[in-house]
C-alpha cells in the first residue's frame, strides 16, 4: 500500500497528485501574484509547469505564511528548544570553509557561499525549528546549510555553542535561474533513478545525433570526439590575408599567448588588439536569414578510439562535418530569445550574435535542444532534476568555454565573453560527467521542506511581519555582476525570464546609478526588517571594494532600522577576520552583523527623554557587541566599541527616527568615561569588562587597529592617538603625518597640519603640541565648528550663483558641520541642493554626508 503524502494539512496519494492540486491553486492565484514586484517574464503555463507547488513556485510563493504557521506550531514539540533563547553577541569567529565539496561543485553559478560556512552562522543565531530567510538566495546554499544542521556532527558545538537540528529556510531570489537551481539543491531525489533515466534519454538522443561528434582514426574507423578546439581568425592589416590565432598568436607546446602576432603571409608584426577579425556569412536555419558573424575554425580534435585518447589536426572530413552541422536543420529548436542590449551583452552583439542560440556551436545547440525536447515531451517525474543537470553544463557547452591546455577552465566570470580559443566539448560526455556530480548531491540531500519563491526582495507582502527568526543573505553589490543579463543563457532554456525592473544593481543600460542601487537595497532591507522578529539578527556578506557601495549598504541597513553591531573582513584564502574601520579600506569580503532592536527597547526609548535615552541606547548597543576577539592568539581591538564608532551609531539611530542630534562628540566621550568602563580604548558594561579582562589575561598580546587616514576626521584621530602618548613639536610630527595622509579621497581638501593643530590641539611653552583637557577641548570644538560653518556658507554662496557649476573640491568636515546644522534647523532643501553640487565620490564615500543627504531627500 502506497504511503499517503501530507502537505499543508492535506493528504495525497502521490507527489504528482499533490503537484497537480497545488498547480491548479497556483493558476487561480496568478492574477493576484502578478501585483507583487518581481513576477517573472513568461507564459503562465510555463511558469506553472516549471513550479513544484507549494514548495517551489517560479513566481511569488503564495503559501509561505501557511508554512510559517505550521512550522511555528511544530516548534512546541522540539525538545532541544530553549524558551529563553537570546543572542546578544554577533558571531565573529574565524570562518575557513573551502569550495572543494561535491555539493558546491554540482552546479556552476556566478557566486556561492559554501554551505558549511553558513551553517556556523545559523547554528549561532538560531535553534532547531527556527525560520531562516535568505532574500538573495542564489543557488540556495542557505537552505542547504539549514537542512544539514539536522545531521551535522558536534564539530560546531564547542566553537559556537549552538544546538544541532534542522532549521527551515525560505529562499527568495529575483532570478528564475537561481530559483530553479536553489529548488534542486534543496529538494531530495533518488540519485540512482536519476542516473538511470538520464542515461536512457541520452542513449535515445545519441542514436540520432552521435554522428555530429565522429572523426576518422588513423585506420579509417570512426572515433568519438571528446572536444574540438576552435580558433578565432584574424585579417592582416598589411596584406589582408587571413590567419588563425591558434597557429600564430599561441604556442601549444609552451601553452603561451603572444602579445604581438606575426602574419605568416607577410611577416608584419601586429598587436592583437589592433588586428581586425575575419567575418563570415552564416545562414541561420531557425531565423531563416543570413547573418554576418566572426569566424572560428576547428584547429585541434581530441578523440577516443579503442579506449585510448588521441589528438589530431582536423582533416577534410572534420572540416566538412563541422560546416555541415552549422547548416543542419532540426525540428522545433529552442530557445531563440534575443540577446538584449546590456552592460555585459555588448561583446556577443558586437561580433554578430543576436540570439541565445548563437552562443553555441550548431551541433552543441542541436544536441541540447533535442535532449530537452524529449525531456519536456515525456514529463517524467525526474524531468526537473535532469533539467537541473543540463543547466549545469550550459555555460561550458557554449562558445564562452575558453581553451587551456590540459584542463577545462570554464568561462570568464561575470561576462558573456567569447575567447579567441574555444573548447567545444562533446555535450553527451558533459552530461554523463554532470550526472555523477548530481547523483552525489542527491545522495546527500535528504530533508525536504525548504521553500523557494521567485520574486523581488523589495516586495515581500506574501510574508507576515515579525515572523522570521534569522536572515542570512549575500546580496548583489553595485556593479559586481549583471545577474539578469548573465542568467539569460540558463533562463532561455527554462522558458521563464527574470523581470529586472527591481533588480538591485548598478547598470547603465537600465539607467541605475549607485544612488538608485542604494534605494533598491534600502527597499529590500526595509522588508527584511519588517519580516524579522524583534531582537533577532541579520548577517549580510558584502563583496565589493567600492567605498561608495559600502557606504550605500551601511546607509540602507541603518535606514531600514537595523543597528550594525560588527563588521569583519573575511579573508577567503586565510579564512580569518580582520576588523574594518574605514570605508575605503574595504579590499576583501566583509561580514556585516546587525540586529533589529527589541520591542521593549523601542518602547522604552520612545518614552525616555534627554540623557536617559542616549545612555540607554549605548547600553543596549554594547550588549550586542563582541566582548573579546582573537587574531592568531592575540586579543584584538573591537572597532565597534571605540568612542568614534559608538557616537556614529548613536547619530544614525537618531537620524533614522527624524530626531535632532542630542549631544556633541566631546560630551559623548565624557559621558562614556563616566558611565562605562574603558579598556584598551574600548568601552564595556560592568558585566562585560570582567569577561574581557579574564579572556585577555589568557591572550595578553594586543593587536591595535591601524588607522587609514582618508579625510580630516581620520587625520585628527591619528594626531590624537599620537599626542596622547607624548607631546611633540610640529617638525617631529610632520614627516609621519605626510606619509599617513597619502590616501586622501579625490576632491576632499585637507587643511595644513599647522591649521589642524591650531584648531584642535594645545601648544605648550616649549612649542610642543598635546591633546586638550575636557574644558579646553570644548572651547576648541566651538571655535572649530564656527570656522567650519563659515566654510560651509562659502560653498552655499558658490552654488547659488547664476549658472553655478559643481564644486570640484570641498572640505568634508565643513560639509558635515553644515549638514548637521541644517538638519537641526530642518533645512533639508539646503542639504540636498549642496549634496547635488559636490563631487559624487565625496557624497557616496562618506557615511555621515550620505546619511544626511539620503534622509533629507526623503523629507522633501
Amino acid at each position: 500500500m502506497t504511503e499517503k503524502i501530507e502537505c499543508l494539512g492535506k493528504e495525497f496519494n502521490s507527489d504528482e497528485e499533490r503537484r497537480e492540486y497545488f498547480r491548479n491553486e497556483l493558476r487561480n492565484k496568478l492574477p493576484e501574484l502578478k501585483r507583487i514586484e518581481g513576477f517573472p517574464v513568461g507564459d503562465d503555463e510555463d511558469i506553472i509547469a516549471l513550479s513544484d507547488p507549494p514548495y517551489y513556485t517560479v513566481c511569488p510563493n503564495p503559501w509561505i505564511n501557511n508554512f510559517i504557521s505550521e512550522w511555528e506550531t511544530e516548534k512546541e514539540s522540539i525538545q532541544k528548544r530553549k524558551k529563553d533563547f537570546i543572542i546578544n553577541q554577533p558571531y565573529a569567529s574565524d570562518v575557513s570553509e573551502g569550495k572543494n565539496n561535491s555539493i558546491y561543485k554540482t552546479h556552476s553559478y556566478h557566486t556561492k557561499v559554501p554551505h558549511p560556512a553558513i551553517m556556523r552562522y545559523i547554528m549561532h543565531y538560531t535553534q532547531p525549528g527556527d525560520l531562516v530567510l535568505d532574500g538573495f538566495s542564489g543557488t540556495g546554499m542557505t537552505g542547504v546549510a539549514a537542512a544539514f544542521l539536522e545531521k551535522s556532527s558536534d564539530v560546531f558545538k564547542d566553537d559556537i555553542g549552538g544546538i544541532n537540528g534542522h532549521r527551515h529556510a525560505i529562499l527568495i531570489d529575483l532570478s528564475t535561474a537561481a530559483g530553479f537551481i536553489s529548488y534542486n539543491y534543496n529538494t531530495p531525489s533518488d540519485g540512482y533513478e536519476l542516473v538511470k533515466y538520464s542515461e536512457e534519454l541520452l542513449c535515445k538522443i545519441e542514436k540520432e545525433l552521435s554522428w555530429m561528434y565522429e572523426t576518422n582514426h588513423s585506420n579509417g574507423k570512426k572515433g568519438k570526439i571528446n572536444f574540438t578546439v576552435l580558433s578565432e581568425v584574424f585579417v592582416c592589416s598589411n596584406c589582408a590575408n587571413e590567419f588563425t590565432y591558434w597557429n600564430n598568436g599561441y604556442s601549444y607546446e609552451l601553452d603561451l599567448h603572444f602579445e604581438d602576432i606575426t602574419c605568416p603571409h607577410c611577416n608584419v608584426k601586429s598587436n592583437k588588439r589592433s588586428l581586425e577579425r575575419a567575418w563570415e556569412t552564416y545562414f541561420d536555419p531557425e531565423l531563416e536569414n543570413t547573418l554576418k558573424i566572426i569566424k572560428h575554425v576547428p584547429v585541434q580534435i581530441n578523440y577516443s578510439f579503442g579506449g585510448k585518447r588521441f589528438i589530431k589536426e582536423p582533416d577534410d572530413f572534420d572540416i566538412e562535418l563541422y560546416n555541415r552541422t552549422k547548416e543542419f536543420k532540426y525540428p522545433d529548436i529552442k530557445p531563440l530569445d534575443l540577446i538584449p542590449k546590456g552592460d555585459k551583452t555588448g561583446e556577443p552583439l558586437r561580433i554578430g550574435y543576436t540570439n541565445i542560440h548563437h552562443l553555441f556551436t550548431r551541433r552543441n545547440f542541436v544536441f541540447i535542444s533535442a535532449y530537452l525536447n524529449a525531456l519536456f515531451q515525456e514529463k517524467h517525474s525526474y524531468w526537473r532534476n535532469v533539467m537541473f543537470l543540463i543547466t549545469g553544463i550550459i555555460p561550458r557547452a557554449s562558445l564562452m568555454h575558453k581553451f587551456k591546455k590540459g584542463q577545462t577552465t570554464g568561462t570568464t566570470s561575470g561576462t558573456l565573453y567569447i575567447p579567441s580559443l574555444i573548447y567545444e566539448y562533446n555535450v553527451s560526455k558533459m552530461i554523463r560527467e554532470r550526472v555523477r556530480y548530481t547523483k552525489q548531491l542527491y545522495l546527500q540531500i535528504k530533508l525536504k521542506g525548504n521553500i523557494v519563491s521567485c520574486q523581488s526582495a523589495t516586495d515581500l507582502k506574501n510574508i507576515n511581519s515579525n515572523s522570521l527568526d534569522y536572515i542570512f543573505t549575500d546580496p548583489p553589490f553595485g556593479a559586481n555582476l549583471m545577474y539578469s543579463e548573465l542568467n539569460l543563457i540558463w533562463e532561455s532554456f527554462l522558458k521563464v525570464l527574470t523581470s529586472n525592473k527591481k533588480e538591485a544593481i548598478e547598470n547603465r543600460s537600465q539607467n541605475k546609478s549607485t544612488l538608485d542601487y542604494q534605494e533598491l537595497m534600502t527597499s529590500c532591507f526595509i522588508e527584511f526588517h519588517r519580516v524579522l522578529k524583534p531582537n533577532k539578527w541579520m548577517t549580510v556578506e558584502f563583496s565589493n571594494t567600492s567605498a561608495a557601495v559600502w557606504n550605500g549598504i551601511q546607509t540602507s541597513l541603518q535606514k531600514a532600522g537595523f543597528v550594525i553591531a560588527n563588521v569583519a573582513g573575511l579573508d577567503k584564502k586565510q579564512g580569518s577576520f580582520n576588523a574594518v574601520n574605514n570605508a575605503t579600506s574595504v579590499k576583501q569580503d566583509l561580514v556585516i552583523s546587525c540586529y533589529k532592536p527589541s520591542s521593549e527597547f523601542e518602547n522604552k526609548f520612545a518614552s525616555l527623554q534627554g540623557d536617559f535615552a542616549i545612555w540607554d541606547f549605548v547600553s543596549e548597543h554594547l550588549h550586542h557587541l563582541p566582548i573579546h576577539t582573537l587574531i592568531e592568539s592575540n586579543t584584538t581591538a573591537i572597532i565597534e566599541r571605540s568612542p568614534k564608532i559608538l557616537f556614529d551609531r548613536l547619530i544614525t539611530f537618531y537620524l533614522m527616527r527624524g530626531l535632532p542630534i542630542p549631544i556633541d562628540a566631546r560630551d559623548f566621550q565624557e559621558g562614556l568615561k563616566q558611565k562605562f568602563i574603558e579598556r584598551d580604548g574600548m568601552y564595556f558594561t560592568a558585566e562585560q569588562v570582567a569577561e574581557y579582562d579574564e579572556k585577555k589575561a589568557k591572550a595578553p598580546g594586543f593587536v591595535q587597529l591601524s588607522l587609514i587616514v582618508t579625510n580630516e576626521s581620520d587625520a585628527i584621530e591619528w594626531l590624537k592617538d599620537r599626542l596622547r602618548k607624548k607631546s611633540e613639536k610640529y617638525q617631529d610630527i610632520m614627516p609621519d603625518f605626510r606619509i599617513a595622509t597619502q590616501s586622501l579621497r579625490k576632491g576632499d581638501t585637507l587643511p595644513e597640519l599647522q591649521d589642524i593643530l591650531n584648531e584642535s590641539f594645545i601648544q605648550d611653552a616649549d612649542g610642543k603640541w598635546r591633546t586638550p583637557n575636557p574644558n579646553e577641548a570644548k572651547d576648541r570644538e566651538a571655535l572649530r565648528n564656527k570656522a567650519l560653518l563659515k566654510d560651509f556658507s562659502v560653498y552655499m554662496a558658490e552654488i547659488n550663483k547664476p549658472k553655478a557649476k559643481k564644486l570640484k573640491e570641498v572640505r568634508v568636515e565643513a560639509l558635515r558641520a553644515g549638514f548637521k546644522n541644517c538638519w537641526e534647523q530642518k533645512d533639508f532643501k539646503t542639504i540636498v541642493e549642496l549634496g547635488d553640487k559636490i563631487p559624487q565620490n565625496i557624497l557616496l564615500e562618506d557615511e555621515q554626508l550620505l546619511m544626511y543627504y539620503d534622509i533629507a531627500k526623503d523629507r522633501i
Side-chain angles (χ1 to χ4, degrees), residues 341-409:
K341 290 183 179 179
D343 285 16
K344 296 299 179 182
T345 60
E347 172 68 11
L349 291 173
R350 274 194 300 273
I351 58 179
Y353 298 161
T354 59
N355 295 66
I356 284 295
H357 64 287
H358 296 151
L359 296 176
F360 301 82
T361 61
R362 181 68 183 171
R363 56 187 168 191
N364 275 10
F365 184 73
V366 166
F367 198 100
I368 293 172
S369 294
Y371 192 90
L372 292 181
N373 283 348
L375 183 67
F376 289 138
Q377 287 168 11
E378 291 187 9
K379 280 293 188 291
H380 190 279
S381 57
Y382 287 98
W383 80 271
R384 285 179 199 78
N385 308 115
V386 178
M387 185 69 193
F388 171 62
L389 69 89
I390 292 296
T391 59
I393 71 163
I394 281 175
R396 285 176 175 250
S398 75
L399 293 172
M400 298 186 293
H401 193 174
K402 56 188 176 183
F403 171 81
K404 173 126 179 105
K405 184 180 178 181
Q407 56 183 290
T408 54
T409 54

Side-chain angles (χ1 to χ4, degrees), residues 593-786:
S593 302
C594 53
Y595 62 92
K596 177 178 177 177
S598 66
S599 301
E600 293 78 13
F601 171 73
E602 289 282 12
N603 294 333
K604 184 178 179 182
F605 181 84
S607 65
L608 292 172
Q609 300 293 325
D611 285 357
F612 295 104
I614 296 170
W615 304 117
D616 200 66
F617 167 80
V618 174
S619 178
E620 173 82 1
H621 188 52
L622 287 175
H623 278 99
H624 283 84
L625 301 182
I627 294 176
H628 183 266
T629 59
L630 292 170
I631 290 181
E632 298 177 351
S633 301
N634 293 313
T635 297
T636 183
I638 301 167
I639 189 66
E640 288 288 337
R641 290 187 176 274
S642 68
K644 182 179 185 299
I645 300 300
L646 287 172
F647 186 59
D648 286 347
R649 298 290 178 246
L650 176 77
I651 289 175
T652 300
F653 193 78
Y654 274 78
L655 287 178
M656 290 301 104
R657 285 153 180 77
L659 301 172
I661 309 303
I663 192 172
D664 62 29
R666 299 288 181 187
D667 288 342
F668 180 77
Q669 291 190 22
E670 285 305 307
L672 277 179
K673 293 175 184 177
Q674 295 170 16
K675 299 177 184 298
F676 301 97
I677 303 172
E678 186 268 339
R679 290 286 190 276
D680 300 317
M682 303 176 288
Y683 283 88
F684 301 85
T685 64
E687 302 84 20
Q688 291 173 334
V689 79
E691 180 181 340
Y692 178 79
D693 289 343
E694 180 184 349
K695 290 183 176 178
K696 189 185 176 185
K698 297 176 183 178
F702 187 74
V703 179
Q704 182 66 53
L705 294 174
S706 58
L707 180 64
I708 299 176
V709 178
T710 62
N711 55 47
E712 184 178 344
S713 177
D714 294 339
I716 292 171
E717 289 298 319
W718 185 90
L719 288 166
K720 282 181 183 176
D721 183 63
R722 182 174 179 127
L723 296 179
R724 278 193 198 103
K725 297 169 186 173
K726 66 172 184 175
S727 300
E728 289 188 89
K729 291 185 177 181
Y730 172 90
Q731 56 265 35
D732 298 323
I733 303 170
M734 186 60 194
D736 292 337
F737 183 78
R738 184 177 287 130
I739 294 171
T741 55
Q742 288 181 342
S743 299
L744 292 175
R745 290 176 298 207
K746 182 181 178 182
D748 183 4
T749 60
L750 181 70
E752 295 294 331
L753 173 60
Q754 187 67 56
D755 294 330
I756 295 176
L757 291 170
N758 288 335
E759 285 184 356
S760 300
F761 298 90
I762 302 294
Q763 189 175 32
D764 62 23
D766 295 328
K768 291 184 177 181
W769 292 94
R770 63 173 174 82
T771 56
N773 62 43
N775 289 331
E776 292 170 331
K778 206 164 184 74
D779 293 338
R780 291 279 168 181
E781 186 66 27
L783 290 171
R784 180 170 181 269
N785 192 61
K786 188 175 180 180

Side-chain angles (χ1 to χ4, degrees), residues 788-807:
L788 292 172
L789 290 177
K790 185 177 179 181
D791 286 350
F792 184 81
S793 65
V794 172
Y795 298 147
M796 289 306 304
E798 283 293 319
I799 70 164
N800 285 323
K801 289 180 180 178
K803 297 182 180 180
K805 296 180 179 180
K806 282 196 171 188
L807 302 173

Side-chain angles (χ1 to χ4, degrees), residues 228-378:
T228 301
V229 181
L230 305 176
S231 173
E232 192 171 13
V233 180
F234 290 100
V235 178
C236 177
S237 56
N238 182 58
C239 68
N241 283 308
E242 293 184 356
F243 58 86
T244 65
Y245 180 75
W246 172 265
N247 288 325
N248 302 280
Y250 171 73
S251 168
Y252 181 73
E253 290 73 22
L254 301 175
D255 189 26
L256 182 66
H257 295 263
F258 305 133
E259 289 186 14
D260 294 320
I261 301 174
T262 302
C263 173
H265 305 287
C266 67
N267 293 324
V268 169
K269 186 177 289 186
S270 304
N271 186 275
K272 181 186 175 185
R273 292 184 180 179
S274 66
L275 285 170
E276 291 186 18
R277 287 163 160 158
W279 293 75
E280 64 179 346
T281 302
Y282 165 67
F283 180 77
D284 189 315
E286 268 65 58
L287 302 182
E288 295 186 345
N289 64 5
T290 301
L291 304 174
K292 188 179 179 183
I293 61 174
I294 64 164
K295 189 175 182 179
H296 285 94
V297 295
V299 290
Q300 188 188 80
I301 293 175
N302 181 298
Y303 69 101
S304 295
F305 181 84
K308 295 182 179 180
R309 282 191 170 227
F310 299 90
I311 293 176
K312 61 179 281 193
E313 287 188 13
D315 54 29
D316 290 342
F317 172 85
D318 299 314
I319 299 297
E320 191 277 330
L321 176 66
Y322 180 76
N323 290 330
R324 181 155 56 97
T325 59
K326 284 169 69 175
E327 299 176 358
F328 177 58
K329 180 76 173 174
Y330 194 83
D332 197 25
I333 288 283
K334 287 188 176 57
L336 307 176
D337 299 68
L338 283 168
I339 298 173
K341 290 183 179 179
D343 285 16
K344 296 299 179 182
T345 60
E347 172 68 11
L349 291 173
R350 274 194 300 273
I351 58 179
Y353 298 161
T354 59
N355 295 66
I356 284 295
H357 64 287
H358 296 151
L359 296 176
F360 301 82
T361 61
R362 181 68 183 171
R363 56 187 168 191
N364 275 10
F365 184 73
V366 166
F367 198 100
I368 293 172
S369 294
Y371 192 90
L372 292 181
N373 283 348
L375 183 67
F376 289 138
Q377 287 168 11
E378 291 187 9

